[in-house]
Amino acid sequence: MIYFDNAATTFPKPVQVINSMKRAVTEYGGNPGRAGHALSLKTAEAVFEARGKCADFFEAEIEHTIFTLNCTHALNMAIKGIVPVLAKQSVSGGLPSADGVHFVISDLEHNAVARPVHSLSKTGSITYSIAKSFDDDSQTIKSFESQINAKTKAVVCTAASNVTGKIMPYSKIAELCQKRGICFILDAAQCGGVIPIKIGNGINFICCSGHKGLYGPMGTGLLITDGKYRLKTFIEGGTGSNSSTLEQPNDLPDRFESGTINTPGGVAV
């Protein structure tokens, strides 16, 4: 069989990934960060090592590297989590105003971006507009500039289209956002592991699948942050830290990793 569907998920997986998953279910039987016994500590060390490798790959801080279920999960966390933060920057009569939060997305966005953004607009949480993409990158940049207004607080853009393969000038868009003080969320589902991508230089969040260009198993993803914005959580629960309080921990990555993580997937990414 000749496999051509790598944009959906890569196959076959490298033998190193298979061996890592096998090792995770045969050797790392403890719940990481949830106990003090040897097996839990051994598993936590394996997860920490894997997290460190992912952080190094995107030139991120290890605590700013969060395991997710997939890229869609990461994008929803970033998009929905940033809105309350940005609303606080748009104050009307002393109260946060969602009317002051405007998003710009491209016309090549996957539904993992388009649907949550549209859903937020239906509830009145944000407004948004769509920038056009062109073969000429300079025209694409101009289109983004034309959609940015005084209320634009965030830009969400794919690094590359899953439909056309078009690579967007995301570095230039990030520079534009940095100059304007706009939060930039990058959907790296198709490019993570394929072309060099790193956090910073205007990129505030990288959302990435673990099972495509990184060749990990399905059910894995990453949310990388530069630490500038403290996202609001939309999932709260047990984190293995600060268990005596009802407040969700502020420390990363615990803040966004409620519940037992996918240890075999994380170790194998």
Side-chain angles (χ1 to χ4, degrees), residues 8 22 32 58 60 71 73 78 86 94 105 110 127 156 164 213 229 238 251 264:
K22 180 179 179 180
F58 292 99
C71 191
H73 184 202
L86 300 177
I105 65 174
H110 189 277
T127 58
V156 191
T164 68
Y229 298 94
D251 295 335

Side-chain angles (χ1 to χ4, degrees), residues 18-88:
I18 297 169
N19 290 339
S20 292
M21 289 196 73
K22 180 179 179 180
R23 192 162 56 250
V25 297
T26 57
E27 298 181 24
Y28 306 138
N31 198 326
R34 301 305 199 276
H37 56 79
L39 203 54
S40 174
L41 295 176
K42 180 180 180 180
T43 306
E45 288 175 2
V47 171
F48 184 82
E49 182 181 355
R51 194 189 304 278
K53 289 179 179 178
C54 292
D56 290 343
F57 192 82
F58 292 99
E59 298 187 18
E61 299 292 333
I62 190 168
E63 66 271 18
H64 292 166
T65 304
I66 297 145
F67 288 121
T68 63
L69 298 175
N70 45 53
C71 191
T72 298
H73 184 202
L75 283 163
N76 272 264
M77 290 176 74
I79 292 168
K80 295 176 180 177
I82 198 66
V83 172
V85 179
L86 300 177
K88 289 181 180 179

Side-chain angles (χ1 to χ4, degrees), residues 103-138:
F103 275 52
V104 177
I105 65 174
S106 81
D107 59 358
L108 294 180
E109 296 311 306
H110 189 277
N111 275 340
V113 170
R115 283 180 171 169
V117 168
H118 181 66
S119 176
L120 287 167
S121 74
K122 287 178 66 178
T123 64
S125 300
I126 66 167
T127 58
Y128 77 97
S129 58
I130 300 174
K132 293 182 179 180
S133 58
F134 297 89
D135 290 336
D136 184 341
D137 286 347
S138 64

Side-chain angles (χ1 to χ4, degrees), residues 25-265:
V25 297
T26 57
E27 298 181 24
Y28 306 138
N31 198 326
R34 301 305 199 276
H37 56 79
L39 203 54
S40 174
L41 295 176
K42 180 180 180 180
T43 306
E45 288 175 2
V47 171
F48 184 82
E49 182 181 355
R51 194 189 304 278
K53 289 179 179 178
C54 292
D56 290 343
F57 192 82
F58 292 99
E59 298 187 18
E61 299 292 333
I62 190 168
E63 66 271 18
H64 292 166
T65 304
I66 297 145
F67 288 121
T68 63
L69 298 175
N70 45 53
C71 191
T72 298
H73 184 202
L75 283 163
N76 272 264
M77 290 176 74
I79 292 168
K80 295 176 180 177
I82 198 66
V83 172
V85 179
L86 300 177
K88 289 181 180 179
Q89 299 176 358
S90 306
V91 177
S92 176
L95 297 173
S97 172
D99 180 56
V101 178
H102 175 253
F103 275 52
V104 177
I105 65 174
S106 81
D107 59 358
L108 294 180
E109 296 311 306
H110 189 277
N111 275 340
V113 170
R115 283 180 171 169
V117 168
H118 181 66
S119 176
L120 287 167
S121 74
K122 287 178 66 178
T123 64
S125 300
I126 66 167
T127 58
Y128 77 97
S129 58
I130 300 174
K132 293 182 179 180
S133 58
F134 297 89
D135 290 336
D136 184 341
D137 286 347
S138 64
Q139 287 185 279
T140 301
I141 298 297
K142 288 180 181 178
S143 181
F144 271 89
E145 285 183 307
S146 70
Q147 297 302 320
I148 291 174
N149 59 49
K151 294 183 178 181
T152 303
K153 297 292 189 298
V155 169
V156 191
C157 184
T158 186
S161 169
N162 67 305
V163 177
T164 68
K166 162 72 177 176
I167 298 176
M168 294 289 279
Y170 62 88
S171 294
K172 294 294 184 182
I173 297 171
E175 289 177 12
L176 174 65
C177 290
Q178 190 172 34
K179 290 177 182 177
R180 302 285 187 92
I182 296 170
C183 176
F184 183 54
I185 300 169
L186 182 68
D187 175 2
Q190 297 300 329
C191 282
V194 179
I195 61 177
I197 295 175
K198 63 180 181 179
I199 198 73
N201 295 319
I203 301 176
N204 302 115
F205 295 97
I206 295 173
C207 302
C208 186
S209 58
H211 65 99
K212 295 182 181 180
L214 295 181
Y215 277 86
M218 285 184 276
T220 58
L222 292 167
L223 172 62
I224 312 288
T225 172
D226 66 353
K228 181 178 179 180
Y229 298 94
R230 178 68 66 174
L231 297 177
K232 187 181 185 307
T233 60
F234 67 90
I235 297 175
E236 294 84 33
T239 59
S241 58
N242 297 320
S243 298
S244 61
T245 175
L246 292 178
E247 297 294 330
Q248 188 76 357
N250 281 320
D251 295 335
L252 301 181
D254 290 11
R255 181 170 175 80
F256 299 106
E257 288 184 352
S258 294
T260 302
I261 70 166
N262 179 2
T263 297

